[in-house]
Amino acid sequence: MVTHEPEPSTGDALPPTTWQGWQQFVDTPPPAPPDPGALRRSVEERLAYHSDFVTVRTPAIDTISTTVRTLMVLGRHQRATARPSLIVTGPPTTGKTTALLQVGRTCHHAETARTGIHDQMPVAYILVPPGASAKTLAAEFARFLGIPLTHRMTQAQIMTSVCDTYTRAGVRLVMIDEIHRLNPRTSTGAEATDLLKDLTERIGATFVYAGIDVTTTPLFTGTRGAQLAGRATLIDCDTIPARRGTSQPFRDLIAAMEACLDLHRHRPGTLPRLALYLHARTGGRIGSLARLLRQAAITAILDNTERITKASLEAITLDHLAENNHRPRHQANPRRNGHSNGPPARPEPP
């Protein structure tokens, strides 16, 4: 019998927006599902596991991973102009940031293995601050690698320090999240957008942007938007449909998540049978689904039921977006208006 190694504590986890936090993130093994041959984990270990939980590989993650690696190779020896970039867009809670972090972790290890240089920093992860100006955005780039700044430094001086340090550190992939916060229609937003363009031309790295419904924001308008659209591939992390042709992608996702639960009395197959209910409850958003199942699993451990049922799922209040979208539809009766989208659904098992 295999003994279980206690999982490392994440109480002192650092944010991945600094190089120390990013290094900690890529060096920490991701949560692993329970091993049938291992000793049972303790209550605290299982609570910690469901709090973090596994990241199920989705078609979006696979597509982003393949595209990023291709673009990195494509731009590896490009010198004259900015390298081709990638934009990951989609509605809230559809897994954009999760996909970005997982792809970044994979690229970090792949680039380190390719070069054999273990003290390099091949991947940088930056958050666009609210109301970002060119100088505050440049400061975020500096903060990631711990570049010391003073109040007297000009934007040009910060830019020079950032570009030189990123080049010496061997950064090959720059991931910029919350890109929808930039508004090039304002003077500060336009300057910040121009700064990003300058960085793509001065740092020898592939840039990946992620944001909420980016194509509907001012980022794709005007001359600046045309330049961005002309250089970037677009991948849409949309909600997951209940059906796609003959397949049931949302049900498959639920089954994959259920297989990773660490509950002692949960009945396998319970959650896939609730696929239609769960799709209506979450709107097909992977972030809302993951939160719902994680919260239900933690509740099942704390109240000692050790299983997830429809009743226990109904008792959980989800994020406001999911609740606001679901509850009115769930309580309404479409047949009152004399029409229906199909035959009534079979009663869901408890």
Side-chain angles (χ1 to χ4, degrees), residues 7 25 28-35 41 45-58 61 95 98-99 101-102 105 252-262 286-287 289-295 297-298:
E7 294 182 11
F25 169 72
T28 302
D35 185 345
R41 292 189 265 203
E45 287 174 327
R46 292 191 297 128
L47 289 174
Y49 167 71
H50 288 105
S51 175
D52 196 3
F53 208 50
V54 299
T55 298
V56 176
R57 296 285 298 192
T58 63
I61 291 179
T98 298
L101 292 174
Q102 296 307 314
R105 186 208 300 265
D252 294 341
L253 175 63
I254 294 169
M257 287 186 171
E258 183 185 62
C260 296
L261 294 174
D262 195 354
I286 188 173
L289 175 66
R291 174 176 170 176
L292 179 61
L293 297 189
R294 288 163 54 216
Q295 195 166 337
I298 289 172

Side-chain angles (χ1 to χ4, degrees), residues 126-141 143 176-182 192:
I126 312 295
L127 283 183
V128 176
S133 65
K135 190 169 184 178
T136 58
L137 183 56
E140 287 299 307
F141 275 81
R143 190 171 75 90
I176 305 175
D177 208 350
E178 308 288 351
I179 194 68
H180 57 272
R181 289 176 173 174
L182 290 181

Side-chain angles (χ1 to χ4, degrees), residues 110-194:
E111 193 67 14
T112 300
R114 184 185 71 83
T115 62
I117 304 173
H118 294 280
D119 59 350
Q120 70 175 133
M121 183 56 62
V123 178
Y125 178 64
I126 312 295
L127 283 183
V128 176
S133 65
K135 190 169 184 178
T136 58
L137 183 56
E140 287 299 307
F141 275 81
R143 190 171 75 90
F144 179 81
L145 285 186
I147 302 171
L149 301 179
T150 66
H151 293 295
R152 295 182 178 180
M153 292 180 70
T154 65
Q155 179 184 315
Q157 290 172 326
I158 297 175
M159 277 283 288
T160 299
S161 182
V162 164
C163 294
D164 290 346
T165 306
Y166 273 59
T167 299
R168 291 198 307 271
V171 175
R172 295 292 177 263
L173 175 65
V174 177
M175 304 186 301
I176 305 175
D177 208 350
E178 308 288 351
I179 194 68
H180 57 272
R181 289 176 173 174
L182 290 181
N183 183 3
R185 290 178 180 171
T186 66
S187 57
T188 55
E191 292 170 357
T193 305
D194 288 341

Side-chain angles (χ1 to χ4, degrees), residues 31-288:
D35 185 345
L39 293 175
R40 281 188 173 185
R41 292 189 265 203
S42 68
V43 168
E44 285 303 317
E45 287 174 327
R46 292 191 297 128
L47 289 174
Y49 167 71
H50 288 105
S51 175
D52 196 3
F53 208 50
V54 299
T55 298
V56 176
R57 296 285 298 192
T58 63
I61 291 179
D62 291 335
T63 300
I64 295 170
S65 181
T66 300
T67 304
V68 167
R69 293 300 297 168
T70 301
L71 293 179
M72 290 178 70
V73 174
L74 183 63
R76 185 175 295 162
H77 302 292
Q78 188 169 327
R79 296 288 183 268
T81 60
R83 289 157 178 77
S85 57
L86 173 67
I87 297 175
V88 179
T89 185
T93 69
T94 50
K96 297 178 297 298
T97 295
T98 298
L100 211 62
L101 292 174
Q102 296 307 314
V103 169
R105 186 208 300 265
T106 301
C107 288
H108 182 106
H109 290 304
E111 193 67 14
T112 300
R114 184 185 71 83
T115 62
I117 304 173
H118 294 280
D119 59 350
Q120 70 175 133
M121 183 56 62
V123 178
Y125 178 64
I126 312 295
L127 283 183
V128 176
S133 65
K135 190 169 184 178
T136 58
L137 183 56
E140 287 299 307
F141 275 81
R143 190 171 75 90
F144 179 81
L145 285 186
I147 302 171
L149 301 179
T150 66
H151 293 295
R152 295 182 178 180
M153 292 180 70
T154 65
Q155 179 184 315
Q157 290 172 326
I158 297 175
M159 277 283 288
T160 299
S161 182
V162 164
C163 294
D164 290 346
T165 306
Y166 273 59
T167 299
R168 291 198 307 271
V171 175
R172 295 292 177 263
L173 175 65
V174 177
M175 304 186 301
I176 305 175
D177 208 350
E178 308 288 351
I179 194 68
H180 57 272
R181 289 176 173 174
L182 290 181
N183 183 3
R185 290 178 180 171
T186 66
S187 57
T188 55
E191 292 170 357
T193 305
D194 288 341
L195 177 131
L196 275 183
K197 179 178 177 294
D198 291 343
L199 286 172
T200 63
E201 295 173 348
R202 296 176 60 181
I203 298 175
T206 297
F207 278 63
V208 177
Y209 311 95
I212 297 173
D213 295 331
V214 175
T215 55
T216 64
T217 70
L219 275 175
F220 270 17
T221 61
T223 303
R224 293 180 177 88
Q227 286 182 324
L228 179 62
R231 292 177 173 177
T233 300
L234 185 72
I235 293 179
D236 195 345
C237 281
D238 206 347
T239 56
I240 301 174
R243 291 184 179 276
R244 183 184 288 121
T246 59
S247 65
Q248 300 183 54
F250 197 73
R251 182 187 179 98
D252 294 341
L253 175 63
I254 294 169
M257 287 186 171
E258 183 185 62
C260 296
L261 294 174
D262 195 354
L263 298 175
H264 296 163
R265 290 189 287 274
H266 182 77
R267 297 176 182 176
T270 298
L271 298 182
R273 286 194 292 271
L274 297 174
L276 292 179
Y277 161 76
L278 288 170
H279 193 273
R281 183 80 193 273
T282 63
R285 296 178 177 88
I286 188 173
S288 297

